[in-house]
Amino acid sequence: MSCFLTCVRFDDSSTTTTDNNNNKLTTVTGSVSVSNGVTSYTWDDVESLTSNFSTLIGSGGYSRIYLARLSSSYKAALKVHVSSHRLYQVFRSELEILLRLQHPHIVKLLGYFDDSEESGALLLEYLPQGNLQEKLNRNSKQVLPWRNRIAIAFQVAQAIEHIHENCSPQIVHGDIKSSNILLDNDFNCKLCDFGSAKVGFSSMVQPSTTTSPRSKQVRMIGSPGYTDPHYLRTGIASKKMDIYGFGVVVLELVSGKDAVSAERGEMLVHTAAPLIHEILDSNSDIGEEKVRQFLDPRLSRDNSLDLEEVKTMLGVAAFCLRSSPSLRPSASQVIKTLVQKIPSLSFSVVGKKSDI
Ligand SMILES: Nc1ncnc2c1ncn2[C@@H]1O[C@H](COP(=O)(O)OP(=O)(O)OP(=O)(O)O)[C@@H](O)[C@H]1O
């Protein structure tokens, strides 16, 4: 994979360019164009693009995300990985994967900084509405309409299908959760954070825990409330662990609840377990009353709400959350079910052509 990073081409003319609206982009010294229109930046560039890291827009376990400006109207997000040798490997892995990906529902890489030792930063397209978890939060001023919720589920399924089925070698994201789903102003979504992703054969390999005490310190991937119990038991990362995480996201979209409740620490998959069992036992045919009890109460005045669609979403979640990974659907089966049962979604199917 390292060939993606060695195909670097110096290009003096790239320092002044224009965006889609013909606005002049910031001239940065020392930047270098690499493949797919991605630019390699120096640390001075990074400081200037972020006005010395003046606006923090997000943070995660391993990084801080700052607002960057490529022109007065063209914003970007700069993800700076915490400086350490181990996290440098996480940065490199995320960079190499993003360099290979181009999909309407996967966050776009615009550039990066790499000191080749322990510091790195990714310049990403900016998603102004933040992440899905914040949008679904009860304290969010705006209630995300039902129509947008089904579109988001559908778009995330398309992003997962792309990495699982259209990329060679395949990619397992490893951390599908609502805070890794970013929203634009129209509430279209993009999957982000490929820091836990596994590529190809490595995604099927169980981490060794037998050879030495040091090798027992395997970094488990995933986040509380979303982690596939099968992965927790075996340590084997597979595509079906992404499908499990997707199932939890669908429960969040329907219920408006967090994957782990902030007040009581209760997991949504546990709260939803009786309903899920009933769906699996009765083959989706559950009573309206039970559906309404689980549904986000803020949707009660939403004209776009359709209880049959809610049942479809719950049925999809139930199958994605089955304890045996082999009984969970693939991403393309999820897409097929959604299109069959919610015909309005078929207008937004993204072409299947691989970009890799
Ligand atoms: N391109 C972007 N545009 C807007 N906001 C972003 C962007 N990228 C990240 N963010 C914000 O920063 C948060 C953290 O980003 P990200 O998940 O990539 O960081 P991380 O360190 O990998 O987190 P984690 O702890 O999940 O591994 C996101 O949930 C989102 O709120």
Side-chain angles (χ1 to χ4, degrees):
M1 265 205 315
S2 59
C3 73
F4 292 107
L5 298 177
T6 51
C7 308
V8 173
R9 179 170 57 86
F10 286 85
D11 181 0
D12 291 340
S13 62
S14 70
T15 52
T16 309
T17 46
T18 52
D19 67 13
N20 294 341
N21 301 321
N22 236 16
N23 291 307
K24 245 188 186 180
L25 303 184
T26 304
T27 302
V28 282
T29 52
S31 65
V32 175
S33 288
V34 290
S35 56
N36 272 344
V38 176
T39 304
S40 163
Y41 292 101
T42 65
W43 189 250
D44 285 348
D45 298 334
V46 162
E47 285 180 335
S48 122
L49 290 170
T50 58
S51 304
N52 271 319
F53 308 100
S54 54
T55 313
L56 184 71
I57 53 173
S59 59
Y62 311 113
S63 67
R64 287 161 84 77
I65 292 91
Y66 298 90
L67 187 68
R69 280 182 191 278
L70 290 166
S71 75
S72 55
S73 62
Y74 190 169
K75 292 177 186 162
L78 187 90
K79 177 171 179 173
V80 188
H81 288 70
V82 173
S83 205
S84 86
H85 184 66
R86 189 175 67 79
L87 295 180
Y88 177 73
Q89 301 308 322
V90 174
F91 154 74
R92 282 288 296 210
S93 162
E94 186 167 8
L95 170 61
E96 288 178 7
I97 288 171
L98 286 175
L99 277 168
R100 301 171 54 209
L101 288 173
Q102 254 184 309
H103 186 272
H105 300 302
I106 293 178
V107 72
K108 189 170 185 254
L109 178 73
L110 305 172
Y112 63 89
F113 160 78
D114 180 5
D115 80 350
S116 306
E117 276 177 25
E118 62 171 38
S119 302
L122 302 169
L123 190 71
L124 305 163
E125 68 177 307
Y126 174 62
L127 276 294
Q129 291 291 330
N131 71 52
L132 175 64
Q133 185 188 33
E134 292 160 354
K135 246 328 140 232
L136 287 174
N137 190 283
R138 302 264 148 130
N139 299 325
S140 164
K141 279 187 225 123
Q142 199 178 11
V143 178
L144 193 60
W146 177 249
R147 203 112 304 277
N148 294 106
R149 298 188 195 204
I150 47 175
I152 288 167
F154 187 55
Q155 292 172 0
V156 174
Q158 289 177 79
I160 298 175
E161 181 195 40
H162 182 70
I163 59 172
H164 285 185
E165 293 166 39
N166 299 347
C167 293
S168 177
Q170 67 181 33
I171 297 167
V172 172
H173 182 277
D175 199 12
I176 300 287
K177 58 179 177 178
S178 54
S179 63
N180 283 340
I181 297 166
L182 304 175
L183 301 170
D184 71 11
N185 279 330
D186 298 320
F187 297 132
N188 287 310
C189 73
K190 310 234 178 193
L191 186 60
C192 75
D193 190 3
F194 284 76
S196 302
K198 304 269 171 220
V199 179
F201 185 61
S202 67
S203 65
M204 297 302 293
V205 175
Q206 181 173 4
S208 163
T209 54
T210 49
T211 45
S212 76
R214 271 196 82 194
S215 66
K216 282 192 176 144
Q217 295 169 358
V218 170
R219 190 173 80 93
M220 294 296 277
I221 55 177
S223 299
Y226 297 88
T227 319
D228 174 6
H230 182 263
Y231 171 70
L232 283 178
R233 276 195 307 274
T234 62
I236 301 173
S238 75
K239 293 191 268 191
K240 295 300 174 78
M241 75 184 285
D242 284 349
I243 298 295
Y244 186 93
F246 174 77
V248 181
V249 170
V250 174
L251 290 184
E252 290 180 271
L253 285 164
V254 173
S255 68
K257 293 199 176 97
D258 284 333
V260 181
S261 118
E263 305 91 52
R264 288 187 286 168
E266 204 173 24
M267 291 215 278
L268 185 55
V269 277
H270 292 159
T271 321
L275 184 65
I276 286 172
H277 285 136
E278 198 171 329
I279 293 170
L280 292 174
D281 290 346
S282 65
N283 208 5
S284 311
D285 194 18
I286 38 164
E288 255 187 35
E289 198 41 46
K290 291 208 169 131
V291 174
R292 284 195 189 278
Q293 275 167 13
F294 189 73
L295 190 64
D296 186 343
R298 292 167 301 170
L299 289 172
S300 57
R301 273 177 284 156
D302 183 338
N303 292 333
S304 71
L305 184 73
D306 176 330
L307 274 194
E308 285 308 310
E309 293 177 355
V310 178
K311 284 188 188 177
T312 296
M313 290 272 276
L314 286 171
V316 165
F319 277 90
C320 292
L321 293 168
R322 291 188 92 156
S323 50
S324 167
S326 61
L327 295 176
R328 295 175 202 152
S330 65
S332 50
Q333 285 169 327
V334 167
I335 291 170
K336 209 168 149 199
T337 303
L338 289 174
V339 171
Q340 262 170 9
K341 299 203 172 167
I342 310 179
S344 59
L345 286 174
S346 57
F347 294 111
S348 43
V349 176
V350 168
K352 285 198 78 172
K353 185 178 150 278
S354 171
D355 293 301
I356 291 187

